[in-house]
Amino acid sequence: MALLHHSLLLLALAVQASASASSPPLQLRFYARSCPRAEAIVRRAVRRRAALDRSVLPALIRLHFHDCFVRGCDGSVLIDSVPGRAAEKDAPPNLTLRMLDVIDDAKAALERACPGVVSCADIVALAARDAAAMAGTVRYELPTGRRDGTVSSAAEVNLPSPSASFAEALSAFRSIGLTMVDLTTLLGSHTMGFCHCGFIMDRLYDFKSTGESDPAMDAGVLAALRHWCPPHTVTPQNESRDAIVPMNLLAQVGPFGLDNSFYPSVLAGKAVLRIDQELTSSGMASRIAATFAARPRSFRKQFARSMVKLGGVNVLTGRQGEVRLNCRRVNNSTTGGL
């Protein structure tokens, strides 16, 4: 019996070692030998676009989040749909994603420098890292070595809604291994960019089917948002092309800067999205928000930690997945990897 137990233990250890060997962890400077200029090439693509259009910065951070929340950080959000099979990017929550062509530009440059080496998943993660640095001096080292997924399905997209309650948002974050601290921190990026009216019409005119506005919304913010988003202007057909409003009406560094000004706005009841204002419904989240509001450096440090953590969600490494040659389609597209 002891011999059998010993044999089973050795077998278990062997299986564990085999799994670890086939799925190595992400590592810093993964491309140091195979493509030494990889990170610089991605950074240049982001910087070039930012010089023309600063809205690329929040767009790339949002793209990374949307990628990682479905199937992990595997670049599957970049894959195009094919007839009869809708990919992630064509799911309703992803119709307003932008700047995917910046990833294409970076990939094209990388393929010229190091063909078949750098994954699309790593490009998305690196581009988000560089966007955070350019938008708000949030700098961090990012482990790389992600591989690209070969499956992308619109039916699998289940992102937390902009109208989610705090409990719903926290449950969604916990489902991918993130915490309340990560949720409160990463929502801080909502100080950047713009929001489509379609995401807030319920708060403005029919909160919880009451026919009234959200009672938690500041009266001044409500008046401003109703001016920009009059009723009956949003339909499912134009939801990705309707009017936009700033994500944070109190942003101190404008709509394309990343700082801690999201938190004073939320604590004052002036958040645009319900999911943001819901932070104040949790005592712990409110305390975290108050800390970030008072200590900008604490926010920057935690934002960096949470972004690294987000970038490690359900990654493919080693021989898993593939390194796509074109970020918009799997390499053996004829087999229907979508």
Side-chain angles (χ1 to χ4, degrees):
M1 189 70 176
L3 180 60
L4 176 60
H5 176 77
H6 180 67
S7 298
L8 290 175
L9 178 60
L10 289 176
L11 177 61
L13 290 173
V15 170
Q16 184 178 12
S18 175
S20 299
S22 62
S23 304
L26 301 176
Q27 62 186 69
L28 294 175
R29 292 172 286 281
F30 177 82
Y31 298 107
R33 292 186 178 182
S34 58
C35 191
R37 296 177 53 242
E39 296 193 21
I41 289 172
V42 174
R43 187 177 301 113
R44 184 169 66 240
V46 176
R47 184 176 290 121
R48 283 180 173 175
R49 180 58 62 86
L52 301 173
D53 183 356
R54 295 280 292 178
S55 74
V56 70
L57 304 179
L60 291 175
I61 294 173
R62 182 170 181 245
L63 178 65
H64 182 45
F65 177 83
H66 281 233
D67 182 36
C68 293
F69 226 90
V70 181
R71 285 188 165 266
C73 309
D74 66 349
S76 55
V77 75
L78 304 172
I79 296 175
D80 286 339
S81 297
V82 297
R85 287 176 295 181
E88 290 174 29
K89 64 168 59 172
D90 287 323
N94 289 335
L95 294 177
T96 54
L97 291 177
R98 302 172 55 251
M99 301 295 179
L100 279 70
D101 60 312
V102 177
I103 307 301
D104 294 334
D105 292 344
K107 180 61 172 175
L110 285 163
E111 286 301 307
R112 290 191 294 269
C114 318
V117 173
V118 182
S119 70
C120 301
D122 271 342
I123 296 172
V124 172
L126 287 168
R129 189 269 306 267
D130 295 336
M134 294 177 199
T137 65
V138 178
R139 296 187 173 89
Y140 54 94
E141 288 194 293
L142 182 71
T144 46
R146 297 165 188 78
R147 300 269 290 181
D148 294 323
T150 58
V151 175
S152 183
S153 171
E156 294 185 346
V157 176
N158 187 27
L159 291 155
S161 164
S163 297
S165 68
F166 179 78
E168 291 167 339
L170 182 59
S171 176
F173 270 65
R174 284 176 170 167
S175 73
I176 61 170
L178 301 181
T179 67
M180 182 184 296
V181 172
D182 298 315
L183 167 61
T184 308
T185 303
L186 293 175
L187 284 180
S189 64
H190 283 178
T191 196
M192 307 173 69
F194 293 86
C195 167
H196 285 263
C197 287
F199 292 136
I200 58 173
M201 295 301 283
D202 59 334
R203 288 197 82 197
L204 302 183
Y205 300 105
D206 193 24
F207 185 66
K208 294 185 177 181
S209 301
T210 61
E212 303 291 338
S213 61
D214 182 351
M217 181 173 281
D218 174 83
V221 171
L222 175 63
L225 293 178
R226 280 183 163 179
H227 173 74
W228 287 319
C229 304
H232 312 303
T233 59
V234 180
T235 68
Q237 288 71 38
N238 76 351
E239 186 170 330
S240 63
R241 301 184 300 276
D242 62 331
I244 58 175
V245 298
M247 287 285 281
N248 182 6
L249 302 184
L250 303 182
Q252 297 178 359
V253 290
F256 307 128
L258 177 60
D259 66 359
N260 67 329
S261 61
F262 167 83
Y263 300 100
S265 181
V266 168
L267 294 171
K270 298 179 183 293
V272 172
L273 297 180
R274 182 192 176 197
I275 193 174
D276 297 339
Q277 195 58 62
E278 279 282 308
L279 288 180
T280 59
S281 70
S282 162
M284 182 176 294
S286 293
R287 289 191 290 274
I288 295 170
T291 297
F292 289 159
R295 301 175 183 173
R297 185 178 179 187
S298 294
F299 165 67
R300 290 195 299 271
K301 289 175 66 175
Q302 183 57 51
F303 191 85
R305 285 192 289 264
S306 292
M307 285 292 283
V308 171
K309 191 173 179 181
L310 172 67
V313 169
N314 296 329
V315 295
L316 304 175
T317 62
R319 296 183 179 180
Q320 298 173 324
E322 65 182 16
V323 174
R324 264 180 253 141
L325 303 180
N326 182 328
C327 291
R328 294 178 178 264
R329 60 175 180 266
V330 298
N331 291 340
N332 192 8
S333 57
T334 58
T335 65
L338 179 68

